[in-house]
Amino acid sequence: MKNSKKCTTLLVLLGSALILQASPARAASNIENTEEKLSISTEDFIIEPQFKDILETTTTSAVTTTSLSATVTLNDLQNKINALVAKVEQDKKSGITFATEKLSELYLDASKVEGTLSKFELNIEAAKKLIQANSSDQEAITAAYNTIDTSYNSIRTLKTYSSFSGTDGEVWKDTNGVPIQAHGGQVQWLEKEGKWYWYGEDKTKGYRSNGISAYSSKDLYNWTFEGYVMRTISSREQLDKDPYFSELYKDYTSKEKDNVYLCFNDSTAVIERPKMIYNQKTGKYVLWFHADGPTVESPNSNYAAASAGVAISDSPNGPFKFLGRYRLNVCPAADKKGEWYEASAGFARDMNLWIDDDGTAYIIYSSEENRTMFISKLNDEYTYLATDVDKAVKGKDFVRLFPGAQREAPALFKYNSKYYMITSSATGWDPNQAKYWVADDILGEWTDMGDPCIDDKDKKTFYTQSTNVINVDKDGGKFIYMGDRWKSNNLGDSRYVWLPLEFDSKGNLLIKPYTNWKLEDLNNKYSIQVNSELKDVYTGIEELPKTLNIKVNENGKWINKDTAVKWNLPDLTPMSKTTVTGVLEAVGRQINVNVINIPNNLQYYVDCGAKKGSTTYELANSKAKLKNSKEWDKAYAEGSWGYVGKIGTDINYKNSDSTDDYDNGFWAYKDKKIEYVVPLKAGNYSLFAGFNEWWGANRTMGVSISYKNSNGETVKQELGTFTSNSKKNVKYTFNLPIDTEVKISVYKPNVNNPDVILSWFALQENR
């Protein structure tokens, strides 16, 4: 490159990969003759890393950089200056606030990118000088053109928030206009500090980055960056020579520092899911995280360690001092079933922390290759297990949950004396369907309650993965679901989706899609207590109550009040249990009840194959006074009713001890039918039947009736065929001209069809 004249023009070229700044020597030089033509070359610039990925553009101008080989005239440059200056004024009028101050050193690499309005203005002035000097240096003109355009797009913009974007997942900036980097994190109120703290993974550089970051807030909307409370290490030498690290680990031996570097370096260590708890007894802030990466034995593996790391600090802002990483509790010998994942003893990956009402702390973590979940009690210092692994007792020191379910990302909280835990499946960075569990004892039995999400059309937890639940006001039932919306191709731009948690009258958890919502929207999400007695099952819509007495929270106080109920009534298939929703008009909340529409003129209800009782039969017999009022099922006897096949030859039982009308039933042997005979009077009838596909087959079946007419001839009537691979109800109507016995048959229409099944049937006389 040829030599060029010295100039004071400062050109900062913000490209997609480089920041170019004038060298100090040239920046300090003076223009010898302003009428001379100016020239510039890439030798005049210092090249340093571009940290554009931490800045989020909110302005509308696109970066339209021009290659150095393209021709850009001074007129083009003037037009670009005019357009950008006008755009800045337009942005200001529209309410956009531009950053005017440099980022603090807390941001580490980010502090090298000024991203301020004043920097943009300096670049504009530098470009104007080229025009004023009537420069003919094409390289300098092109560089200036690109610089001012890119500089405009890199200005940090400041925003004061008053709501959460919810499922929109908008970029969330801190109070300095930098997108928040606290992924896989946790938010909690720290009483001692009098504000909320948010800890999470910094993904500025992608999978591995600067460490664990912290933010604080007074209102949960606007967050101030407190710094990297636990910084990753770039070289082993830093632990001895960098004042930040050497002071923190001054009492560590060389071998201990080697381990710190192995576990917390920025090139091979995996640092995920950081969670912090404060120990009131010791006054220490204790940070746990998924600590993975190489081990001494497996130096080239990303996930060899499979451990939980722990660090402590005297301040919530750090620095946190690394104590170690550990594998935790293992599957008891008595619980082993020979599954392959049981050999992955003590693994600890996606994790969370919980302090119970008595001050006992627990760590919740995915283990055994993410196939199981453990909850383990921590010691009084919260820095290790309460009991060593080889002495730990299941149910006292830990609990092993959901073996084989492959759950991760646990988020635990407590409400109304019950423990709730939301988890995701394990599908990498891709979202999946959430599930939640409930328990009365944190180390006891947990009940699978299914997916808490409502109106989640794609069954992807609104395209998020759980990370934490924020306890805003547990007495008032105010909680916030925290989810990460990962972007695997750009982890630094992964988003945060926070949503209100809602509880129905039975304490069931609901997560619904909200956008642009406020903390005030949490006011009526608590579990409303219905003081009026509700039935487990209603036998008709006429039984549904028109008013209820409820207990509600108003202005922080619990009161009792009456409310009208508006029921949303779907078409109710007779004899099929349906969930009906009612709106409590006084508070705008919903309740759900179960309804089985039992017609008053029901003649028979038969719960096939049931031996120990039938809940639906009892309800039907109580309301309709059935013809089979003494038994819910039996074998046929002449002059009575019942099934006609031979048990063990023609048909056999399925789940006969169950009292659930779909869970139990009959299945037929090869090419056999399931048949019942019932005596009926002449008339018009509706036949209802229920089927449950216990084996997951795609099963086609037919239903027919037959009887003998007044001439003694057999009359057969095909009622219809259907195909099902789950639960299925059918309804058919037929006329009976005389009083007679009717044989109801379930058969397979084609020899290639699977053999038939039947859970229950009912007969209604249509009057």
Side-chain angles (χ1 to χ4, degrees), residues 611-631:
K611 291 184 177 181
K612 290 193 174 181
S614 169
T615 302
T616 304
Y617 169 83
E618 298 297 337
L619 291 170
N621 197 29
S622 174
K623 182 176 182 179
K625 302 189 183 306
L626 301 174
K627 299 290 186 183
N628 60 319
S629 60
K630 294 182 179 179
E631 295 173 285

Side-chain angles (χ1 to χ4, degrees), residues 165-435:
S165 68
T167 52
D168 283 346
E170 295 177 356
V171 172
W172 199 346
K173 297 183 179 183
D174 66 17
T175 52
N176 286 311
V178 179
I180 293 171
Q181 291 289 333
H183 309 281
Q186 165 216 43
V187 170
Q188 64 183 305
W189 176 260
L190 294 184
E191 190 66 37
K192 188 176 179 182
E193 283 69 29
K195 51 188 176 181
W196 298 95
Y197 265 75
W198 184 356
Y199 295 87
E201 308 164 23
D202 173 76
K203 295 292 188 188
T204 300
K205 299 176 183 175
Y207 189 48
R208 294 182 174 91
S209 55
N210 294 314
I212 297 171
S213 53
Y215 297 80
S216 67
S217 173
K218 288 284 190 178
D219 60 10
L220 287 173
Y221 299 123
N222 301 285
W223 294 89
T224 299
F225 185 52
E226 298 289 351
Y228 297 100
V229 297
M230 197 171 176
R231 286 168 47 185
T232 50
I233 309 161
S234 299
S235 69
R236 170 62 178 83
E237 187 180 33
Q238 278 187 296
L239 290 168
D240 296 318
K241 296 185 177 181
D242 185 319
Y244 175 90
F245 294 108
S246 62
E247 176 63 24
L248 186 61
Y249 295 103
K250 61 185 178 182
D251 58 340
Y252 274 34
T253 66
S254 178
K255 186 176 181 180
E256 288 172 331
K257 290 179 182 178
D258 290 344
N259 185 57
V260 172
Y261 177 68
L262 174 68
C263 299
F264 217 80
N265 68 76
D266 63 3
S267 57
T268 63
V270 175
I271 301 151
E272 298 176 329
R273 305 280 171 179
K275 306 293 186 293
M276 194 282 295
I277 49 179
Y278 176 65
N279 192 313
Q280 291 186 344
K281 294 179 181 178
T282 65
K284 297 289 186 182
Y285 297 85
V286 185
L287 183 72
W288 284 81
F289 54 94
H290 168 209
D292 226 316
T295 61
V296 174
E297 297 77 14
S298 302
N300 299 315
S301 173
N302 271 338
Y303 286 96
S307 300
V310 61
I312 59 171
S313 176
D314 294 324
S315 165
N317 296 338
F320 280 81
K321 183 178 183 179
F322 182 68
L323 300 182
R325 67 182 184 190
Y326 314 103
R327 290 194 175 178
L328 303 176
N329 289 119
V330 301
C331 177
D335 289 357
K336 290 186 176 180
K337 306 295 183 183
E339 300 289 351
W340 64 271
Y341 51 81
E342 293 168 356
S344 301
F347 278 29
R349 289 195 167 124
D350 279 13
M351 50 78 58
N352 215 315
L353 298 173
W354 174 255
I355 299 179
D356 217 339
D357 300 335
D358 62 358
T360 303
Y362 299 86
I363 182 170
I364 308 101
Y365 54 99
S366 186
S367 187
E368 298 175 3
E369 302 291 358
N370 293 347
R371 270 16 185 222
T372 61
M373 191 75 68
F374 276 72
I375 303 177
S376 299
K377 187 185 297 184
L378 296 177
N379 60 19
D380 289 342
E381 293 76 29
Y382 302 168
T383 56
Y384 188 62
L385 299 175
T387 305
D388 288 340
V389 172
D390 58 348
K391 296 179 181 178
V393 177
K394 179 185 174 184
K396 178 183 177 183
D397 301 303
F398 72 95
V399 63
R400 179 177 180 261
L401 303 170
F402 331 136
Q406 199 171 6
R407 309 303 296 179
E408 63 180 14
L412 188 146
F413 67 101
K414 190 176 184 180
Y415 177 52
N416 279 352
S417 300
K418 288 188 178 294
Y419 299 90
Y420 293 76
M421 179 163 50
I422 304 170
T423 69
S424 81
S425 185
T427 54
W429 300 111
D430 297 328
N432 54 67
Q433 188 174 21
K435 275 191 174 185

Side-chain angles (χ1 to χ4, degrees), residues 96-109:
I96 292 176
T97 302
F98 293 106
T100 59
E101 297 181 3
K102 293 182 179 180
L103 294 175
S104 74
E105 294 182 356
L106 289 176
Y107 288 91
L108 298 180
D109 294 335

Side-chain angles (χ1 to χ4, degrees), residues 587-764:
V587 290
R589 293 286 301 278
Q590 295 181 348
I591 62 168
N592 296 321
V593 297
N594 292 317
V595 177
I596 298 179
N597 185 16
I598 300 176
N600 291 320
N601 53 345
L602 197 68
Q603 302 292 299
Y604 288 89
Y605 178 81
V606 178
D607 197 347
C608 307
K611 291 184 177 181
K612 290 193 174 181
S614 169
T615 302
T616 304
Y617 169 83
E618 298 297 337
L619 291 170
N621 197 29
S622 174
K623 182 176 182 179
K625 302 189 183 306
L626 301 174
K627 299 290 186 183
N628 60 319
S629 60
K630 294 182 179 179
E631 295 173 285
W632 52 81
D633 195 24
K634 70 182 187 71
Y636 172 72
E638 189 174 350
S640 184
W641 66 274
Y643 57 83
V644 296
K646 185 176 180 180
I647 301 294
T649 301
D650 301 312
I651 59 175
N652 218 328
Y653 298 104
K654 177 65 175 176
N655 302 329
S656 60
D657 290 342
S658 174
T659 59
D660 181 277
D661 52 351
Y662 281 94
D663 194 36
N664 54 37
F666 279 130
W667 56 272
Y669 285 88
K670 182 175 175 57
D671 297 332
K672 300 292 184 178
K673 301 176 182 179
I674 299 175
E675 296 183 308
Y676 277 82
V677 173
V678 294
L680 293 174
K681 293 185 177 296
N684 181 266
Y685 290 89
S686 291
L687 170 66
F688 308 97
F691 305 82
N692 186 13
E693 183 46 60
W694 299 298
W695 293 286
N698 203 42
R699 200 179 300 268
T700 299
M701 293 178 281
V703 180
S704 67
I705 63 165
S706 61
Y707 59 90
K708 290 186 177 181
N709 62 20
S710 57
N711 297 323
E713 300 169 332
T714 298
V715 178
K716 183 177 180 181
Q717 182 178 347
E718 297 290 342
L719 299 182
T721 61
F722 63 93
T723 301
S724 176
N725 58 9
S726 58
K727 285 185 179 180
K728 177 77 173 180
N729 300 329
V730 296
K731 175 187 176 181
Y732 302 110
T733 302
F734 62 91
N735 286 303
L736 196 62
I738 62 172
D739 297 353
T740 185
E741 286 188 337
V742 176
K743 179 182 287 186
I744 301 168
S745 301
V746 180
Y747 64 96
K748 61 179 186 178
N750 187 295
V751 293
N752 295 322
N753 295 139
D755 291 297
V756 298
I757 57 177
L758 177 63
S759 288
W760 59 266
F761 74 90
L763 284 164
Q764 171 191 343

Side-chain angles (χ1 to χ4, degrees), residues 390-535:
D390 58 348
K391 296 179 181 178
V393 177
K394 179 185 174 184
K396 178 183 177 183
D397 301 303
F398 72 95
V399 63
R400 179 177 180 261
L401 303 170
F402 331 136
Q406 199 171 6
R407 309 303 296 179
E408 63 180 14
L412 188 146
F413 67 101
K414 190 176 184 180
Y415 177 52
N416 279 352
S417 300
K418 288 188 178 294
Y419 299 90
Y420 293 76
M421 179 163 50
I422 304 170
T423 69
S424 81
S425 185
T427 54
W429 300 111
D430 297 328
N432 54 67
Q433 188 174 21
K435 275 191 174 185
Y436 81 102
W437 279 259
V438 174
D440 294 318
D441 179 353
I442 194 169
L443 295 182
E445 296 293 327
W446 287 75
T447 302
D448 183 353
M449 303 297 290
D451 185 356
C453 297
I454 307 297
D455 297 329
D456 180 22
K457 296 179 181 178
D458 295 324
K459 303 299 181 185
K460 302 286 188 183
T461 319
F462 308 111
Y463 288 88
T464 72
Q465 184 183 38
S466 52
T467 183
N468 192 54
V469 170
I470 305 172
N471 174 10
V472 179
D473 175 10
K474 68 176 181 180
D475 294 332
K478 299 179 182 181
F479 299 90
I480 298 174
Y481 164 84
M482 291 177 64
D484 289 293
R485 182 172 290 169
W486 299 109
K487 292 188 176 183
S488 58
N489 61 341
N490 185 7
L491 288 173
D493 191 34
S494 298
R495 306 297 174 81
Y496 312 100
V497 175
W498 291 13
L499 296 170
L501 292 188
E502 185 174 334
F503 305 86
D504 67 16
S505 59
K506 297 179 181 178
N508 296 317
L509 179 62
L510 311 172
I511 306 177
K512 300 177 181 179
Y514 284 81
T515 60
N516 193 34
W517 67 276
K518 299 176 180 290
L519 290 172
E520 290 78 8
D521 293 318
L522 296 174
N523 288 342
N524 67 341
K525 300 298 186 289
Y526 54 85
S527 181
I528 291 178
Q529 179 179 322
V530 178
N531 298 324
S532 303
E533 184 177 355
L534 294 174
K535 293 182 178 181

